[in-house]
Amino acid sequence: MNQQQGEQKVAKKALIASLIGSSIEWYDYFLYGTIAALVFSKLYFPSGDPAVNLMLAYASFAIPFFIRPLGGVIFSHIGDKIGRKKTLVLTLSLMGGATVLIGLLPTYEAIGIWAPILLIVLRLIQGLGIGGEWGGALLLAVEYAPDKKRGFFGSIPQMGVPIGMLLGTLSISLMTLLPDAAFLSWGWRVPFILSAILVFMGLWIRNGLDETPAFKEAQKTGNIAKVPLVDTFKYHWREVLIAVGAKVVETGPFYIFSTFIISYAAGTLGFEQSSALNAVTIATLITTIMIPFMGKWSDKVGRKPLYIWGTVAMMLYAFPYFYLLSLGSVFWLTVATIIGLGIIWAPITAVLGTMFSEIFATNVRYTGVTVGYQLGAALAGGTAPLIATALLSNFGNSSIPVAIYIILAGFISLIAMMFIHTTKAIAIEKQKNSAI
């Protein structure tokens, strides 16, 4: 009984460490997404056309998504060869350091062209860190989870996404209470610099953890891939493609509902920026509460059915979402964001990580889930605000092309789901193969 209690205590600690670390990482990352529209388009990418400024700022937001797969390859290799714990310390250090330096970076007016260059370099470093972070945080939770609670445990790191976003949005909302001149001068820098405190806390918690039981068992049996990336693409390339496709509907619409909406509501529909930020904040709080319940539900009904239900709902909601925004009411702006980000997105993201982990063997699991996730994020995540902005610009501010974009994202992910028959059965088969 004492041993069982000890195992439960360690599992809870791993769960907390996974959640806190993931929240810190995404706080750093989403902070940039929000500030890109409000500040960087003015201070780091100045030109004569405000629309061009905004697209350049969003391009700087999108660029790191393409470096994330490289970060995923590097750190997942370390994670599958050396261990999950050491990798997570490295990723958090990279991410946190880059974020603090962004808060200290001089503007274009002060150092000229070096300002956007250094900003992009720091964004690339962030991309490397986040590339290896998600897979490690996920496996820290899933590989410590009891068999009948894997869906619940796997959903907890996913809470880090909205929690990090909530912290980022709240910090910016507080700073926007300052006069405009003060906010543009120094107010926007405060949340970046203060993230150093959160990073220190995250490193302290992660350093106190042991390796996951699954990885220690792999070490004991010698089931460690020589080159995880090679083995992943040689034996698990189908699963990588499934993960890439499944990620599309989880990430593309998310950035529409959370990042693009801020500039769209304020710049095109005439809302106050604070109204859009408040709507996103409320929706983020709701989805944070919803995610663990969806994860627990997936332990009863299965990951795949819950994911499909969420995807279909997302596709059906695309046009009603923009209709509600067009009503010009702060109330309906908030309701539209709550439905999309707070409710419909929750079951999709809650089961995504666990579903990915169940289709890869232990010896390449870090690499498999990370590469699939980050490739999907690169293709459909960071590009979403940029694509949506370009569609608006080219189609006379019509929301119809953006709604179609959301529907197409759903179709791609549903096609990927067709190739997942029974995730648990696939996982068992992979485990058998890896043991041979």
Side-chain angles (χ1 to χ4, degrees), residues 382-402:
T383 58
L386 182 61
I387 290 173
T389 302
L391 288 172
L392 280 180
S393 178
N394 291 325
F395 290 91
N397 286 335
S398 172
S399 62
I400 292 175
V402 186

Side-chain angles (χ1 to χ4, degrees), residues 146-432:
D147 287 340
K148 295 182 179 180
K149 294 183 178 180
R150 192 176 292 128
F152 171 70
F153 270 61
S155 70
I156 298 302
Q158 295 299 87
M159 290 174 64
V161 180
I163 288 176
M165 184 182 162
L166 183 64
L167 291 173
T169 305
L170 282 173
S171 64
I172 295 300
S173 295
L174 289 175
M175 290 298 104
T176 54
L177 296 176
L178 293 169
D180 289 345
F183 176 71
L184 286 174
S185 175
W186 59 268
W188 68 269
R189 298 179 182 274
V190 174
F192 285 91
I193 296 172
L194 290 182
S195 70
I197 300 172
L198 300 176
V199 172
F200 176 79
M201 291 173 55
L203 290 173
W204 177 68
I205 293 170
R206 287 184 173 182
N207 271 317
L209 281 173
D210 198 3
E211 283 298 343
T212 68
F215 185 78
K216 287 196 287 187
E217 181 63 26
Q219 284 182 315
K220 187 185 297 184
T221 60
N223 185 26
I224 303 293
K226 291 182 179 180
V227 185
L229 184 65
V230 173
D231 284 3
T232 298
F233 280 102
K234 186 175 181 180
Y235 302 111
H236 301 260
W237 61 269
R238 292 179 182 84
E239 286 71 32
V240 171
L241 290 178
I242 289 171
V244 171
K247 175 65 177 170
V248 171
V249 77
E250 189 262 356
T251 192
F254 173 80
Y255 285 106
I256 298 296
F257 295 149
S258 64
T259 302
F260 166 75
I261 181 59
I262 296 172
S263 62
Y264 176 66
T268 303
L269 300 180
F271 287 95
E272 294 291 331
Q273 288 180 344
S274 59
S275 298
L277 287 169
N278 290 338
V280 171
T281 300
I282 295 170
T284 301
L285 181 61
I286 291 173
T287 201
T288 303
I289 297 170
M290 290 282 290
I291 285 173
F293 287 102
M294 294 295 104
K296 195 167 185 178
W297 192 16
S298 77
D299 284 321
K300 297 180 179 179
V301 303
R303 258 63 85 181
K304 182 177 177 180
L306 201 55
Y307 179 94
I308 291 175
W309 297 341
T311 300
V312 172
M314 183 73 75
M315 296 166 67
L316 293 175
Y317 183 61
F319 280 101
Y321 169 69
F322 285 103
Y323 171 74
L324 292 175
L325 295 180
S326 71
L327 297 177
S329 162
V330 173
F331 172 77
W332 288 114
L333 167 67
T334 305
V335 169
T337 308
I338 288 173
I339 294 172
L341 180 60
I343 298 174
I344 295 177
W345 183 73
I348 299 173
T349 197
V351 304
L352 192 76
T354 310
M355 188 166 65
F356 286 3
S357 71
E358 289 177 338
I359 62 176
F360 290 99
T362 301
N363 63 344
V364 296
R365 184 174 292 147
Y366 202 144
T367 302
V369 299
T370 298
V371 171
Y373 183 95
Q374 300 303 347
L375 283 175
L379 292 172
T383 58
L386 182 61
I387 290 173
T389 302
L391 288 172
L392 280 180
S393 178
N394 291 325
F395 290 91
N397 286 335
S398 172
S399 62
I400 292 175
V402 186
I404 293 173
Y405 169 76
I406 293 174
I407 293 171
L408 288 175
F411 272 121
I412 292 171
S413 294
L414 287 179
I415 291 171
M417 285 298 97
M418 291 171 58
F419 296 94
I420 296 183
H421 302 294
T422 307
T423 53
K424 186 166 289 187
I426 294 173
I428 293 171
E429 185 62 28
K430 294 296 181 187
Q431 294 284 11
K432 288 179 180 177

